[in-house]
Amino acid sequence: MELFKQVKFDEPVREKAKLALDVKEILYVLTKSKSVLIGGMIVFIVIFCAIFAPLIATHDPYQMNIGDRLLKPMEHGHLLGTDQYGRDLFTRIIYGARVSLEVGFISVGLSLLIGVTIGLIAGYYGGWIDMIIMRFVDIVLSFPVLLLAIALVAALGPGIQNVILALGVVYWTNYARIVRASVLAIKEEEYIQAAKTIGSSDFRIIFYNILPNCLAPIVVVATLGLGVAIIAEATLSFLGLGIQPPKASWGWTLAFGMKFIRETPYLSLYPGLAIMITVLGFNLLGDGIRDLTDSKLKRK
C-alpha cells in the first residue's frame, strides 16, 4: 500500500491494483485456513450429491420392497441397508440432502431479505423509527425461536413451503440486529456525509454506499445460519411438522428409525451423521470466513 503513496496512478488503475491486492489477500488467507478448506470441501460434497442425486443414487428413493425391509448395510446390494418399507437408505439420504439444502438456502435468503432491509432502515434513519423497529425485534426475540417456528408450522400446516416460510420469518432478527449495528457505525463515515452533501438520495446511499460495507458480517452470519436452518428443518420433520412422507428427509428418516433403534440402530445413525457432518461443514466455513474478515480488519 506504500506504493500508492509514492507513485501517482490514474483512478481506474489505482482501483484495479487495489482489487488485485484484495483478491490475492483473500486467496492467501483461504488457502491457509483449515476451517475454510475442510468446511468448503464438506459443503461442496453435500451440494454435489444433492445436484447429481439421480446419478449417485443406486435405487429409486420411493420404491418399496417389503421383502427387503430392515436389511443391514451391504446386504443385497444396499450400501447402508434399507428402512422399514424396504427402501434403500443410502438413496434416501442422498435425496434428503436436496430437501435440507433447499430449505436452508431459501429460508436463509428470506431471512436475509427481511432482516437486512429492516436493519438498514432502522440504522440509517434512527430516531423513533429505529426505536419502534428494535422494540419489535426485542418482542420477537423474547420467544424461543424454535418454539415459534413450531407454532407457525402447526398453524400453517406441514409441508416444505410452510417450513421455509416459518424459518424465514423467525430467524430474520439476527440479521436485522447485525446490519443495524454496522449501519450505525458506517453512516458516520466521511464518505457518507459527502454523499449526502452532493445530494445523493437515501436509496442510493443505503444500497450503494452502506450495504456493500455490511456484507462481511452478513455473509458470516448467513453461512452459520444455513447450519441452523438445516437443524431446524430436521427438528420439524422429526416432530412430524416438516417434510411429509414419502418425500426423503433426514429428520423424517431419523424419526422413523427411532422405532427400530434396538433392532437396527443404523436407521437413525446414518441420517443423524448426515445432519451433523453437513452442519459441521457450514459452521467451519462460516468460522473461516469470519477469520478472513477479522484478519483484513486487523491489517487496515
Side-chain angles (χ1 to χ4, degrees), residues 167-181:
L167 295 181
V169 168
V170 301
Y171 281 109
W172 63 269
T173 52
N174 290 332
Y175 303 104
R177 290 170 68 102
I178 290 171
V179 171
R180 172 184 175 271

Side-chain angles (χ1 to χ4, degrees), residues 281-298:
F282 281 111
N283 287 345
L284 289 175
L285 186 60
D287 288 340
I289 296 174
R290 182 187 60 194
D291 295 339
L292 169 63
T293 57
D294 289 346
S295 63
K296 290 184 70 176
L297 289 175
K298 291 177 181 178

Side-chain angles (χ1 to χ4, degrees), residues 12-158:
V13 177
R14 183 192 297 268
E15 293 300 326
K16 290 180 181 179
K18 287 182 180 180
L19 180 60
L21 289 175
D22 289 340
V23 172
K24 290 181 179 179
E25 182 180 15
I26 292 173
L27 292 177
Y28 174 79
V29 177
L30 287 177
T31 55
K32 295 298 181 181
S33 174
K34 293 182 179 179
S35 295
V36 171
L37 290 177
I38 298 174
M41 186 178 300
I42 293 174
V43 171
F44 173 79
I45 292 173
V46 174
I47 294 176
F48 180 86
C49 290
I51 294 175
F52 298 100
L55 300 178
I56 299 173
T58 55
H59 296 77
D60 187 333
Y62 306 111
Q63 182 178 1
M64 299 182 185
N65 188 351
I66 301 301
D68 289 340
R69 69 188 299 270
L70 299 179
L71 292 179
K72 295 181 180 180
M74 305 304 296
E75 283 189 353
H76 296 179
H78 296 281
L79 184 62
L80 300 180
T82 59
D83 63 10
Q84 67 274 27
Y85 298 112
R87 295 174 297 193
D88 184 70
L89 187 58
F90 173 75
T91 301
R92 299 282 293 176
I93 290 176
I94 292 296
Y95 274 84
R98 285 186 163 187
V99 174
S100 294
L101 292 179
E102 179 182 357
V103 172
F105 280 107
I106 299 179
S107 64
V108 169
L110 179 59
S111 296
L112 280 173
L113 179 63
I114 299 172
V116 171
T117 303
I118 291 177
L120 287 171
I121 294 173
Y124 182 77
Y125 290 104
W128 64 270
I129 296 178
D130 179 37
M131 183 185 67
I132 293 176
I133 290 176
M134 296 315 297
R135 295 301 73 77
F136 178 70
V137 170
D138 292 338
I139 293 173
V140 176
L141 288 173
S142 65
F143 294 93
V145 178
L146 186 57
L147 184 59
L148 185 59
I150 292 174
L152 288 174
V153 174
L156 297 173

Side-chain angles (χ1 to χ4, degrees), residues 131-235:
M131 183 185 67
I132 293 176
I133 290 176
M134 296 315 297
R135 295 301 73 77
F136 178 70
V137 170
D138 292 338
I139 293 173
V140 176
L141 288 173
S142 65
F143 294 93
V145 178
L146 186 57
L147 184 59
L148 185 59
I150 292 174
L152 288 174
V153 174
L156 297 173
I160 188 169
Q161 294 86 358
N162 292 336
V163 169
I164 291 173
L165 179 61
L167 295 181
V169 168
V170 301
Y171 281 109
W172 63 269
T173 52
N174 290 332
Y175 303 104
R177 290 170 68 102
I178 290 171
V179 171
R180 172 184 175 271
S182 300
V183 173
L184 288 175
I186 294 172
K187 74 175 185 178
E188 302 300 330
E189 297 289 339
E190 293 181 357
Y191 63 90
I192 301 298
Q193 303 302 322
K196 292 180 179 179
T197 303
I198 63 176
S200 296
S201 64
D202 290 344
F203 180 86
R204 181 174 182 83
I205 293 174
I206 292 174
F207 290 98
Y208 286 87
N209 299 111
I210 295 179
L211 181 58
N213 291 286
C214 300
L215 290 181
I218 292 174
V219 171
V220 173
V221 177
T223 306
L224 297 173
L226 287 168
V228 175
I230 290 173
I231 292 178
E233 180 275 320
T235 303

